[in-house]
Amino acid sequence: MEPQERVKDWLHLVYSDCRFALRQLRKSPTFTAVAVLTLALGVGANTAIFSICSMVLFRPLPYPHAERLVKADVYDLKSGDFYGETSYPDFTDWSEQNHFFDHLAAFESKTFNLSRTKQPEHVQGEAVSSDFFETLGIQPFLGRSFAGEQNQQVVVLSYALWSRSFGSDRRVIGRSIALDGYSYEVVGVMPRSFQFPDPQTELWALITSVRPDLREEITARGNLGFFVVGRLHTNATLSQAQAGMTTLASGLEQKYPESNRDLGVRLVPLQEDMVGKFRPALLILMGAAALVLLIACANIATLLLARAAARQPEIAIRSSLGASRYRILAQLLTESLLLALAGGALGAVFAFPFMGVMLAYAPQDIPRMSSANIDLPALAFAGLISLLTGILFGLAPAWQSSLRNPNTSLKHTGQGLERRKPLTRAVVVAEFALSLILLTAAGLFGKSLFLLNHVDPGFRADHLLTVEIYRSMSDDSPDGNWKNWTGFYQQLLARIQALPGVESAGATLALPIHGRIWNIGFKIDGRPFGRPSEQPQADARIVSNNYFDVMKIPLRKGRYFSEYDTQDAPHVAVINEALARLYWPSDNPVGRFLEMGAFGAGRCEIVGVVGDIRQTNLGDEPAPGIYVPYTQEVMPWQTLVVRTKNEPMALAAPIRQEVTALDPEQPVARLATMDELKEASTAQPRFRTFLLGAFASIALLLSAIGIYGVMAYTVGRRTSEIGIRMALGARPLNIFTLIVGESIRMTILGASLGLVGAYAASRVIKNLLFGVTSTDPFTFAGVTLLLCFVAVLASYFPARGASRVDPLVAIKYE
């Protein structure tokens, strides 16, 4: 036979098999609907999570030759602690002396007050070096980059800022805008897709010494404030560049021992630096989605095994009429593949709402998360896993049915299922084991989130409104800045305090849980500093005199700040209990002295000790902290904290009006309640818990459906046996116990295997838990009991039906 004829015959057989399979599936609409929906849930969840992981973890960064981009992190050679940032003079030396990079760029996150527009606004930006855009390999779609610019007041806008604040006007190039009161020339607008280092960045300003606030940052060698990214030469490797940077760091340490002692440099691929910390959680979620798909496959395989038992007479007749084992196998696999394709198509549709829900719950700090979508690769993935799952869940039932002896099948038409119970039970046991693994992980995450939400933050978050305000620098004189900064905040707080519904109002440099951290070194009673890793460190916070009262932070010793702690009075400080325990474990620190270079505080007398608060996030233990009054140390930005008598957000509009009344050009950066910020601080654990809980719930539902289907089919195929048992004296309770007992035995075996798998899986997630061990016995016991309860509940109705069988009718059943 010619090849063309063979292909034609094969296509005809495939067409015939598909037509017959569709007729068979139409005859069992309930079975078909359950199988398709079950598979659609698994495929939809996997497609959505694959799209997210693909965008965040697997796809290269959206820059030309992104594999050559590296990040340079500074760390302490003795302790191994990472600082991340470096000083600008060190960056300059790296740029001039390295031989392995095409470009090196420095950048520092800053915020800017943008004025001379329709409405003043506060925008997130970056102060960057001149080679910044050349290093990343992206050029503006309008105008030019900073290449060749030196010490110029120039800025490049993001596409979003250009569209929102400048009406997408192409004539913006060359125009002057005001940032923090300084005139900047707009030289470029970046493409819509460009987001670096994060989606919140809306402009990039060239680093310049014209501004006093940047002048010290770019000249002080010990000021570790700039991140550095580099583009490797085409023929340079990461290890070669690392060796070169190690040599450079060693040379700078010898040349500048005071500022560069024990400072090393470590190069990491930029993509790893951006997404590395999110990889474990996302891979765990992807694994959970894969388990849901496996459970769905097991569920459908169970239904197919039961269905195959009922079709044994049909298969036996076909075999007797000459159908080969291959033809029967091909026919049954065709049905499975049609189910898989239908489920996959519906799953691809389900993936879109699944994706929407995931993005709605996703934390904003996951890079490129907002760009994830269901695209052609994702749909191809859905098609591939549909094909593989069709083979996976259809192969075992089809293979077993094709091996069946037709004579035996014709003689035992009512006992097909009983001969296949070992395989059916094995599938159900596997289904329960996988479900228990997911339930345990979800239970651990859920308990961890519960404990995290009930952590005492050290202050009262209720009825607390936060208002971020960043003041621009008025001039280079201390008196001018004092009036512009501290004077403005004092007047504003007095106005807010007088508003109806305000109980009290204060200000802080670093808002708890959601604020910046200034980790500074200090001296204690004249004790000298050691190496950077040995220096006493604490989080420094400039606060208003009544800040502790507004936040309800308790006083432990001494006093709070008072109206007598003025600019001309001796400088004072309040410390927290963590710092007191660390350096004065058995003494009273009140009356002792600290010396800090930060903020120009100098030598400060400790006048009080206050309770600890969770400054960084709820999951971290309170760190040593130092407070200084804003009436002695000036700072251009503060976050106002307003304790209200009623709903906090009701005061948002009046507070904005008071800010505008004091300075029409002053924008409000952010208005939010402390409860909202507290909730936002747990966004990542909530995201993990929500998704894993959803996957576990789906798995539990599928397991319940699976055991219900097996028990229902068991009862249906054993009707005659049940009738005989009852005719011989078995009571309904005995029959009920018999059926439920089978379910319990399978559940216990599945739970036992699942506990082993759950223990292994818990070791993977232990670093993501808070306040609970990865082998928490209450969680393991609780989810096991839940699974057993669901199994008993799922088998209750088939068992009750079996106990009500009429013996006379049952004996005549066949």
Side-chain angles (χ1 to χ4, degrees), residues 632-643:
Q632 292 186 335
E633 322 302 338
V634 296
M635 183 56 59
W637 57 85
Q638 292 283 328
T639 298
L640 309 186
V641 284
V642 183
R643 185 161 294 281

Side-chain angles (χ1 to χ4, degrees), residues 525-548:
D525 290 336
R527 297 179 215 171
F529 283 116
R531 297 196 310 266
S533 60
E534 297 174 348
Q535 295 173 1
Q537 300 283 321
D539 293 334
R541 306 147 203 175
I542 299 176
V543 300
S544 63
N545 293 350
N546 64 337
Y547 171 73
F548 304 107

Side-chain angles (χ1 to χ4, degrees), residues 11 54 76 116 145 188 237 258 283 306 459 469 479 552 574 598 709 782:
L11 290 175
S54 173
D76 187 276
R116 299 181 195 168
S145 68
T237 65
E258 186 173 346
L283 290 181
F459 60 89
I469 295 180
D479 289 340
K552 307 302 180 186
V574 168

Side-chain angles (χ1 to χ4, degrees), residues 380-620:
F381 173 81
L384 178 62
I385 61 173
S386 300
L387 182 64
L388 293 177
T389 52
I391 297 173
L392 178 64
F393 67 67
L395 188 58
W399 181 260
Q400 184 158 309
S401 296
S402 69
L403 292 176
R404 180 72 170 164
N405 187 314
N407 294 323
T408 305
S409 297
L410 289 172
K411 291 177 182 177
H412 303 282
T413 57
Q415 301 169 19
L417 181 64
E418 297 307 300
R419 301 299 182 90
R420 282 149 187 81
K421 283 178 66 176
L423 181 57
T424 305
R425 284 176 170 171
V427 174
V428 173
V429 165
E431 196 173 345
F432 269 82
L434 294 174
S435 297
L436 187 65
I437 294 173
L438 273 180
L439 284 169
T440 303
L444 290 172
F445 275 135
K447 185 173 182 180
S448 176
L449 181 62
F450 175 82
L451 294 174
L452 188 63
N453 285 331
H454 287 79
V455 165
D456 180 11
F459 60 89
R460 275 181 48 194
D462 63 291
H463 292 84
L464 202 60
L465 182 66
T466 67
V467 188
E468 278 190 4
I469 295 180
Y470 295 75
R471 292 290 286 167
S472 301
M473 182 174 287
S474 61
D475 55 45
D476 207 3
S477 67
D479 289 340
N481 284 326
W482 182 272
K483 293 178 182 178
N484 182 45
W485 297 343
T486 305
F488 175 85
Y489 291 122
Q490 287 178 320
Q491 293 180 61
L492 181 59
L493 284 176
R495 285 171 169 263
I496 292 175
Q497 185 73 58
L499 289 174
V502 173
E503 181 179 310
S504 56
T508 176
L509 172 66
L511 196 65
I513 296 176
H514 211 75
R516 294 186 179 185
I517 304 300
W518 275 266
N519 202 34
I520 56 97
F522 61 93
K523 297 179 182 179
I524 302 173
D525 290 336
R527 297 179 215 171
F529 283 116
R531 297 196 310 266
S533 60
E534 297 174 348
Q535 295 173 1
Q537 300 283 321
D539 293 334
R541 306 147 203 175
I542 299 176
V543 300
S544 63
N545 293 350
N546 64 337
Y547 171 73
F548 304 107
D549 179 62
V550 177
M551 299 294 291
K552 307 302 180 186
I553 300 174
L555 179 69
R556 303 303 188 194
K557 294 178 182 177
R559 67 173 177 86
Y560 291 139
F561 299 131
S562 72
E563 67 273 14
Y564 301 108
D565 298 318
T566 62
Q567 186 180 14
D568 299 324
H571 284 205
V572 295
V574 168
I575 65 173
N576 67 356
E577 289 181 293
L579 191 142
R581 285 192 301 268
L582 189 60
Y583 296 107
W584 293 277
S586 56
D587 297 327
N588 185 355
V590 175
R592 303 295 182 91
F593 287 85
L594 300 174
E595 187 170 343
M596 297 182 292
F599 313 129
R603 193 166 186 262
C604 302
E605 180 185 358
I606 299 173
V607 297
V609 179
V610 296
D612 293 330
I613 64 173
R614 307 273 173 158
Q615 181 66 25
T616 50
N617 59 66
L618 288 174
D620 289 343

